[in-house]
């Protein structure tokens, strides 16, 4: 890293929030660093203060119960999530998409919360969390608020998070616990890669939900379908909702085409 | 500047480091352990893989200050009193090393893989080294070496290059 900054490692949420309130735009929050440190290295991000939140015990929360559902603290890593029994048992879509997120080594650092805060259109956790109606618990010195992921991600790498706010955790309600699910991701190579386009599909209690990544500025959630809806109808709704672009990874036509293909395959494999 | 303490391959190191330095750079340039390599510097290639508190990580994406107080394993800890580790032996025997740039990272990834799966299948090996690029594309030899080191070479009727 050639860009210099000062490093802070607060031991409590209150301390972290004080640092964010003091430094605002000039501070960047560090957990796994798999996006932040890449961006600092390339010059895309030039924070004067880096606030490492990994020494804050509350942010390591990973719990599941009837009342509050699944809670994923800001510093829970992807591999911790993927080996957490309630996730393997009840949240198949997080499991299916999670193993597609980068490599094993990176998943030891990368976090689900970071994936949402980065808000890349191709973030692997976004469309699954949309399907599950997950919410983001945001805290600041002025209190806390809970924002649905749907509203939290506002554009390409932009979120509803203010500079003095911190994401404490993701809350996944039990509504779709136990849903059957699948995740399809188009990549340029067989190994790990950023998604060219991706589709998540869950089905539970007579409802089919479909989330789509990399086919619009933000990840999308289609309106609910009743179980038994023919794939063609879901494909038509998807074609209407997406607004794919051409970029270095793929053309917009191919993206649109593959969204349809993936929906067809998921309806067949997961059963709708 | 911040003072950090690292236990690397059973030895304690204390250094004053700049807060923006990566763990990889501190290992190589300030501690002098140059076995660990920098390929991409951005989490893509795995050349910089080391084991920190039992977890394989890309050390190019860890700040040295973050690692304060941790226990680290690097490739320098593999051979003991001049004797190669079984996986290193197998790499040698199967010509799994060509230019050698990916090797230190590969060895650390495989070390962790074998802790989790002492007898990995071919698929588990392929998946296990997914985060480590070999630009010389010697993957087949690397897979054979791991199968051999774990006593399973007969599994695929592989060719030995010895
Ligand atoms: S140098 Fe760290 S992943 Fe390439
Ligand atoms: S041996 Fe040359 S990169 Fe792997």
């Amino acid at each position: 890293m050639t860009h210099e900054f000062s490093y802070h490692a607060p031991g409590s949420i209150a301390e972290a929030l004080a640092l964010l309130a003091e430094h605002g735009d000039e501070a960047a929050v560090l957990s796994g660093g798999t996006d932040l440190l890449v961006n600092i290295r390339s010059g895309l991000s030039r924070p004067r203060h880096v606030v490492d939140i990994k020494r804050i015990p509350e942010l390591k929360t990973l719990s599941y119960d009837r009342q509050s559902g699944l809670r994923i603290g800001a510093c829970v890593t992807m591999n911790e999530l993927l080996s957490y029994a309630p996730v393997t048992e009840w949240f198949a879509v997080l499991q299916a998409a999670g193993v597609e997120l980068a490599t094993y080594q990176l998943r030891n650092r990368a976090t689900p919360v970071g994936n949402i805060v980065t808000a890349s259109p191709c973030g692997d956790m976004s469309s699954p969390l949309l399907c599950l109606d997950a919410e983001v618990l945001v805290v600041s010195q002025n209190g806390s608020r809970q924002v649905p992921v749907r509203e939290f991600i506002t554009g390409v790498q932009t979120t509803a998070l203010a500079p003095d706010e911190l994401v404490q955790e993701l809350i996944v309600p039990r509504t779709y616990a136990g849903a059957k699910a699948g995740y399809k991701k188009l990549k340029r190579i067989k190994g790990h890669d950023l998604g060219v386009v991706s589709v998540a599909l869950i089905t539970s209690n007579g409802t089919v939900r479909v989330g789509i990544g990399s086919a619009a500025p933000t990840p999308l959630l289609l309106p609910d379908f009743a179980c038994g809806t023919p794939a063609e109808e879901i494909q038509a709704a998807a074609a209407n909702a997406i607004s794919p672009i051409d970029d270095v990874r793929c053309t917009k036509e191919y993206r649109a085409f593959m969204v349809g293909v993936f929906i067809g395959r998921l309806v067949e494999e997961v059963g709708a | 500047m911040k003072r950090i303490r690292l236990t690397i391959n059973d030895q304690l190191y204390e250094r004053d480091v700049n807060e923006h330095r990566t763990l990889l750079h501190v290992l190589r340039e300030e501690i002098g352990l140059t076995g660990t390599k920098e390929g991409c510097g951005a989490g893509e290639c795995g050349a910089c893989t080391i084991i920190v508190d039992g977890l394989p990580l890309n050390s190019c994406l860890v700040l040295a200050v973050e690692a304060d107080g941790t226990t680290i394993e690097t490739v320098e800890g593999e051979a003991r009193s001049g004797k190669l580790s079984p996986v290193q032996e197998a790499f040698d025997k199967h010509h799994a090393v060509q230019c050698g740039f990916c090797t230190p990272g590969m060895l650390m990834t495989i070390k962790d893989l074998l802790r989790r799966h002492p007898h990995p299948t071919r698929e588990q090996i392929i998946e296990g080294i997914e985060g480590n690029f070999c630009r010389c594309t010697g993957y087949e030899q690397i897979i054979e070496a791991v199968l051999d080191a774990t006593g399973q070479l007969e599994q695929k009727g592989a060719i030995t290059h010895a």
Side-chain angles (χ1 to χ4, degrees):
Chain A
M1 273 336 103
T2 44
H3 171 72
E4 297 195 15
F5 48 78
S6 43
Y7 171 85
H8 309 263
S12 69
I13 293 183
E15 246 178 273
L17 293 178
L19 284 162
L20 294 182
E22 184 184 343
H23 300 296
D25 271 344
E26 299 198 317
V29 173
L30 169 69
S31 182
T34 55
D35 286 314
L36 179 65
L37 298 180
V38 172
N39 290 342
I40 291 179
R41 183 175 186 273
S42 68
L44 223 66
S45 172
R46 307 184 65 81
R48 301 202 27 204
H49 300 271
V50 166
V51 180
D52 182 358
I53 55 175
K54 286 191 295 298
R55 310 219 174 210
I56 305 175
E58 296 97 300
L59 301 184
K60 273 277 166 200
T61 301
L62 179 57
S63 66
Y64 179 65
D65 62 66
R66 302 203 137 262
Q67 237 184 359
S68 41
L70 177 67
R71 303 178 85 101
I72 310 167
C75 295
V76 171
T77 66
M78 284 303 305
N79 276 343
E80 285 167 350
L81 181 79
L82 291 172
S83 57
Y84 185 51
V87 169
T88 42
E89 203 168 324
W90 300 108
F91 296 98
V93 73
L94 296 180
Q95 189 73 27
V99 296
E100 288 289 344
L101 190 150
T103 66
Y104 185 80
Q105 288 102 303
L106 285 169
R107 289 196 295 272
N108 276 330
R109 288 269 290 175
T111 64
V113 167
N115 199 242
I116 294 301
V117 172
T118 294
S120 163
C122 67
D124 285 297
M125 297 316 284
S126 305
S127 53
L129 287 166
L130 283 176
C131 287
L132 296 170
D133 281 347
E135 307 216 331
V136 184
L137 176 63
V138 173
V139 290
S140 73
Q141 284 190 326
N142 304 320
S144 68
R145 61 191 180 116
Q146 216 164 301
V147 189
V149 170
R150 193 166 64 264
E151 291 163 26
F152 183 80
I153 300 176
T154 52
V156 179
Q157 291 170 18
T158 61
T159 67
L161 198 65
D164 66 333
E165 289 180 319
L166 178 73
V167 173
Q168 182 172 338
E169 61 193 32
L170 279 164
I171 301 169
V172 185
R174 288 180 65 248
T175 327
Y176 299 101
K180 288 202 289 171
Y183 184 73
K184 299 272 180 209
K185 172 176 173 180
L186 179 67
K187 300 178 287 191
R188 295 163 296 183
I189 55 169
K190 208 170 157 220
H192 73 94
D193 192 15
L194 295 176
V196 168
V197 81
S198 64
V199 179
L201 182 146
I202 68 169
T203 142
S204 152
N205 297 324
T207 305
V208 178
R209 309 194 104 201
V210 177
I212 304 172
S214 303
T218 62
L220 299 172
L221 176 69
L222 299 184
D224 288 5
F225 300 93
C227 272
T229 305
E232 295 72 36
E233 209 172 296
I234 303 177
Q235 285 160 333
N240 251 324
I242 62 177
S243 49
I245 56 163
D246 292 323
D247 69 7
V248 286
R249 297 208 294 281
C250 174
T251 63
K252 58 174 181 278
E253 289 82 5
Y254 189 45
R255 281 203 164 89
F257 179 76
M258 287 309 292
V259 166
V261 170
F262 284 159
I263 290 173
R265 286 185 197 162
L266 285 165
V267 166
E268 203 176 295
E269 288 168 25
V270 182
Chain B
M1 283 289 215
K2 197 173 176 276
R3 168 142 294 219
I4 60 166
R5 293 159 66 97
L6 306 171
T7 305
I8 309 171
N9 305 324
D10 301 329
Q11 210 178 311
L12 183 68
Y13 296 84
E14 275 195 54
R15 289 289 185 282
D16 290 316
V17 298
N18 273 315
E19 307 183 11
H20 67 284
R21 298 276 282 164
T22 62
L23 180 54
L24 174 62
H25 288 160
V26 166
L27 283 177
R28 289 181 54 84
E29 290 158 24
E30 281 164 50
I31 295 179
L33 294 173
T34 54
T36 308
K37 304 294 183 242
E38 176 161 27
C40 62
E44 300 279 348
C45 74
C48 64
T49 304
I50 59 173
I51 301 179
V52 180
D53 284 343
L55 297 176
L57 301 180
N58 302 87
S59 61
C60 67
L61 292 187
V62 179
L63 298 175
V65 285
E66 282 183 80
D68 184 21
T70 56
T71 297
I72 296 177
E73 297 160 75
T74 69
V75 71
E76 285 89 349
E78 288 307 276
R80 295 284 164 142
S81 8
K83 201 177 164 331
L84 297 179
S85 74
V87 178
Q88 284 177 314
E89 288 271 7
F91 263 55
D92 184 27
K93 176 171 159 202
H94 291 272
H95 290 228
V97 181
Q98 295 180 64
C99 77
F101 197 83
C102 70
T103 313
M106 273 300 172
L107 288 170
M108 300 321 285
T109 294
I110 291 164
K111 181 171 200 172
D112 167 71
L113 175 74
L114 297 184
R115 279 178 184 158
R116 289 180 289 127
H117 306 286
H119 299 281
T121 62
R122 192 181 177 82
E123 285 63 41
Q124 283 172 326
I125 299 168
I126 293 173
E127 223 181 271
I129 60 172
E130 183 194 40
N132 294 76
F133 291 171
C134 177
R135 291 298 300 270
C136 301
T137 69
Y139 296 105
E140 205 48 49
Q141 291 91 316
I142 292 168
I143 295 163
E144 284 167 13
V146 178
L147 286 171
D148 197 4
T150 53
Q152 321 179 84
L153 192 55
E154 61 292 350
Q155 207 191 28
K156 298 292 164 198
I159 323 134
T160 63
H161 297 260

